[in-house]
Amino acid sequence: TNDFLNLNSNFLNVFRNSFTISFWVELADGQPSTTEVMTGFMHSNDPTYANELRIEVIDTGVLGAFIQMDNASSYTNTSSAVFTDGAQDWKQITLTFTKNSGSVSTLALYLNGSAITTTGGLPSQGITESNHSRFEMNANLFVGAQGNDNPGGSGDGISGSHLNANIDDYAIWSTALDADAVTAIYNSGTPIDLTSNSGDYDNSGNLEAYYRMNEGSGTTVANSA
């Protein structure tokens, strides 16, 4: 509660191309009274909000994802609740975003290793290859809180809500993982070591960030990628 992880990077070169974000989460409440940030926000805090990236749990228990690049957006949410009211068991969530040549980028969400049915949310112009390449961000990526890129600032501020949950095995890849790799990462509910290929997971070479949260104490978490 009120804790967060500052990854000390905006991963700009990663997010300008295809990428994947994956993590395990144990929510204190699957249907919170207000929308809660699941990965922490990453966005420019200017009047236009031209660039933003977030994954969130809505107060109805719906899982949603929103990506804004160069003023174009891609948004999706689950067609029904995936979280119940009250404390939740550990769940594994994966977002993949594929930069497509000549067409709009593709957003997909997975829960516990399986693709989940989603529906369009906010009006979406669709992120083209050109928008994707012009993604800009000064703010660092935060896990569990909203990163705040104040105009002219250093990108290390915090604003908005914190996530009331436990988070584990937070990872970023510089590729959009395919469905069988996502299933292998879930591994029937037992996390695997993402630094080594295993079965259908053969993307360890694309691993850009991997926070295993195994320190047990202190205020610093190692990046094992």
Side-chain angles (χ1 to χ4, degrees):
T1 303
N2 295 329
D3 292 333
F4 62 89
L5 175 62
N6 180 353
L7 302 191
N8 290 315
S9 173
N10 58 20
F11 296 95
L12 192 60
N13 291 331
V14 174
F15 295 135
R16 282 178 174 167
N17 295 286
S18 298
F19 64 88
T20 299
I21 297 174
S22 179
F23 55 94
W24 295 72
V25 63
E26 184 184 44
L27 289 167
D29 187 357
Q31 296 184 1
S33 58
T34 58
T35 297
E36 290 198 16
V37 184
M38 295 198 67
T39 65
F41 285 66
M42 176 181 173
H43 70 88
S44 57
N45 191 27
D46 58 37
T48 64
Y49 287 87
N51 300 278
E52 187 173 357
L53 168 63
R54 72 177 187 254
I55 305 173
E56 61 197 3
V57 56
I58 314 300
D59 54 6
T60 57
V62 165
L63 177 66
F66 176 80
I67 298 175
Q68 180 98 343
M69 292 184 169
D70 188 37
N71 282 308
S73 61
S74 181
Y75 179 83
T76 192
N77 56 262
T78 55
S79 54
S80 60
V82 297
F83 302 104
T84 58
D85 193 22
Q88 304 292 291
D89 293 331
W90 282 98
K91 292 181 174 61
Q92 199 263 349
I93 294 171
T94 300
L95 175 151
T96 65
F97 201 53
T98 306
K99 179 180 177 180
N100 296 312
S101 176
S103 61
V104 296
S105 301
T106 306
L107 174 62
L109 282 172
Y110 297 80
L111 179 68
N112 292 344
S114 298
I116 47 181
T117 302
T118 59
T119 181
L122 298 172
S124 175
Q125 304 95 323
I127 295 174
T128 66
E129 183 180 13
S130 177
N131 298 134
H132 210 135
S133 299
R134 289 198 294 265
F135 183 67
E136 291 290 345
M137 191 67 59
N138 290 324
N140 292 335
L141 185 59
F142 286 77
V143 177
Q146 179 176 350
N148 179 15
D149 178 21
N150 291 308
S154 61
D156 59 359
I158 287 290
S159 67
S161 62
H162 290 73
L163 176 65
N164 188 6
N166 293 317
I167 295 178
D168 202 6
D169 275 31
Y170 186 95
I172 300 172
W173 291 264
S174 55
T175 189
L177 300 184
D178 53 26
D180 59 359
V182 175
T183 300
I185 290 170
Y186 175 62
N187 192 34
S188 299
T190 303
I192 64 173
D193 181 358
L194 301 177
T195 62
S196 300
N197 291 338
S198 177
D200 289 327
Y201 171 65
D202 56 1
N203 305 98
S204 62
N206 299 107
L207 192 62
E208 300 288 339
Y210 183 27
Y211 296 89
R212 306 190 71 176
M213 316 290 186
N214 287 342
E215 285 74 11
S217 63
T219 59
T220 300
V221 178
N223 180 2
S224 300

